[in-house]
Amino acid sequence: MSERRARSASDDRRGSGDPDGAGEAKGAQDPGGPRGTRAGRRSLWRRALTPPSAPPPRQTPPREAPAAPEPAEVVSVVQSALYRDGVRVSTPASLAETFRELREQPDGMAWIGLARPTAAELHSLAAEFDLHPLAVEDAMEAHQRPKLERYGETLFVVLSAARYLDAAEEVDFGELHVFVGPDFVITVRHGAAPDLSAVRRRMEGSPELLRLGPEAVLYAILDSVVDGYVPVVSGVQNDIDEIETEVFRGDPAVSRRIYELSREMVEFQRATRPLVGMLHSLMAGFAKYRTDEELQRYLRDVADHVTHTSERVDGFRQALTDILTVNATLVTQQQNAEMRALAEAGFEQNEEIKKISSWAAILFAPTLVGTIYGMNFRHMPELHWVLGYPFAIVLMAVVCTSLYIVFKRRDWL
């Protein structure tokens, strides 16, 4: 802190009008200057973090028509504030002003909130607060696993926040990176969750808690992320209840819903399980880092809530697995019943075909005899026989009776 305050005069030019760090580089070359000590200590990080200089822009010929106005640049700094003794003393409009005022404020703390920041902004923060290049690289990229790492006096925390969307009936996950140092807290948010403005208002409403420093802010952020899991757990429980009803009602679309919710629970487990170990690691360092007793109680309460949430999520995943098994069993039973019904219908259809075929064969015999004797050829045998007609009738009856007996014995009739 003393070194930061001692070089405030020579850094005014960088904080207000030297965003590229030219003044800082000059101080680094002069070991005897007011910033020589810290500049030498930061030289390694500066070489790793300073991006290559961009080539000068090409001269383009003037156009006859005026160019369309470019869209305004999106500012990723959500809010930046300085605190002293638990009270906000300043709200700088830019990162450069935040750096300058933090050096001028004795025993102050900076709380900087960013949302999807640019690489230049993160490099500026890294150069000012000695952030480790590996941590900065992780903060630039989302999709990091929740973790807790310490780089010297700076603590780097990755959290996975969640919120339940009632309209879509799904869980939306966000990612939060937190840098905690001796006199600063930097939050880098990727996603809509969590709402850190509520955390800031809550802490500003409790100056006695905010007075405890950056660790208190970290624990408040942890508590906010964990509290955000509560409505998600309630929403998932309602979804599981609805799924159980749909399963026993035979809804064909329930399998897809079970699969999608199972995927969300896998992501939820990835967010909550590492958090349990992270909080226990923080609690293990209470004595080493002389954490305030109030913060110790605060963190233990957060750890209890995380453990409870993690157990609920594990139960949800097991319940979804059981429901999927029951649904598969019910679907199989339904398919078996449908196959049995089709088999029975096919059997009945075969019986009807047998009957129709039997009667068709029986009726075909007299038709055949009558057709032969009705051809009216001149030289046909028995054509002028006196007993020809009775013989034909008896022949038809004998053939029909014989076929009927045969089909009857084979249960076709």
Side-chain angles (χ1 to χ4, degrees), residues 172-240:
D172 178 45
F173 294 94
E175 195 168 320
L176 180 65
H177 303 255
V178 185
F179 295 90
V180 181
D183 57 350
F184 66 89
V185 176
I186 302 172
T187 60
V188 180
R189 182 162 52 88
H190 297 275
D195 183 13
L196 296 182
S197 60
V199 179
R200 190 184 292 268
R201 291 193 299 268
R202 172 185 169 191
M203 293 297 291
E204 290 178 351
S206 303
E208 67 282 354
L209 185 60
L210 187 57
R211 189 179 295 114
L212 298 178
E215 284 187 345
V217 177
L218 173 61
Y219 296 159
I221 293 174
L222 289 170
D223 184 62
S224 175
V225 171
V226 174
D227 286 346
Y229 294 154
V230 176
V232 176
V233 170
S234 300
V236 172
Q237 182 64 64
N238 292 334
D239 289 344
I240 292 178

Side-chain angles (χ1 to χ4, degrees), residues 138-342:
D138 289 343
M140 289 181 183
E141 301 291 337
H143 309 293
Q144 299 291 329
R145 224 181 137 77
K147 60 182 178 179
L148 171 67
E149 296 178 346
R150 185 177 292 276
Y151 299 97
E153 296 182 348
T154 303
L155 198 64
F156 178 61
V157 182
V158 179
L159 301 173
S160 181
R163 60 173 182 165
Y164 186 79
L165 304 178
D166 293 325
E169 291 187 344
E170 63 183 18
V171 182
D172 178 45
F173 294 94
E175 195 168 320
L176 180 65
H177 303 255
V178 185
F179 295 90
V180 181
D183 57 350
F184 66 89
V185 176
I186 302 172
T187 60
V188 180
R189 182 162 52 88
H190 297 275
D195 183 13
L196 296 182
S197 60
V199 179
R200 190 184 292 268
R201 291 193 299 268
R202 172 185 169 191
M203 293 297 291
E204 290 178 351
S206 303
E208 67 282 354
L209 185 60
L210 187 57
R211 189 179 295 114
L212 298 178
E215 284 187 345
V217 177
L218 173 61
Y219 296 159
I221 293 174
L222 289 170
D223 184 62
S224 175
V225 171
V226 174
D227 286 346
Y229 294 154
V230 176
V232 176
V233 170
S234 300
V236 172
Q237 182 64 64
N238 292 334
D239 289 344
I240 292 178
D241 295 340
E242 293 177 0
I243 286 175
E244 289 177 345
T245 303
E246 293 174 358
V247 164
F248 291 100
R249 193 171 54 193
D251 190 343
V254 70
S255 298
R256 181 180 181 86
R257 188 176 182 187
I258 295 173
Y259 173 77
E260 292 176 350
L261 190 57
S262 298
R263 291 288 301 272
E264 292 178 355
M265 289 305 97
V266 171
E267 190 71 20
F268 208 178
Q269 278 186 327
R270 292 176 181 173
T272 56
R273 277 187 176 178
L275 193 54
V276 176
M278 291 165 52
L279 293 174
H280 282 87
S281 298
L282 286 175
M283 290 188 293
F286 282 163
K288 180 178 179 180
Y289 297 101
R290 299 178 182 179
T291 305
D292 185 83
E293 293 184 0
E294 181 65 21
L295 292 182
Q296 294 182 21
R297 290 189 289 267
Y298 195 73
L299 186 61
R300 290 192 187 98
D301 180 68
V302 176
D304 291 339
H305 292 170
V306 170
T307 303
H308 176 70
T309 302
S310 180
E311 292 174 352
R312 291 289 302 276
V313 175
D314 293 341
F316 287 158
R317 189 174 181 187
Q318 183 62 41
L320 288 171
T321 302
D322 296 339
I323 292 174
L324 189 59
T325 303
V326 172
N327 181 64
T329 303
L330 294 176
V331 170
T332 303
Q333 292 177 352
Q334 183 179 0
Q335 291 177 348
N336 292 338
E338 293 176 355
M339 293 296 295
R340 189 184 305 111
L342 290 175

Side-chain angles (χ1 to χ4, degrees), residues 360-412:
I362 293 173
L363 295 177
F364 175 72
T367 303
L368 178 62
V369 176
T371 302
I372 292 175
Y373 283 95
M375 289 189 291
N376 295 325
F377 288 105
R378 181 178 299 274
H379 300 288
M380 285 184 62
E382 296 94 19
L383 187 61
H384 301 284
W385 188 27
V386 177
L387 299 177
Y389 177 75
F391 175 77
I393 296 298
V394 171
L395 180 60
M396 294 178 187
V398 170
V399 174
C400 291
T401 303
S402 300
L403 290 175
Y404 180 82
I405 293 172
V406 172
F407 291 142
K408 191 68 174 178
R409 287 180 178 180
R410 294 185 178 183
D411 295 329
W412 283 34

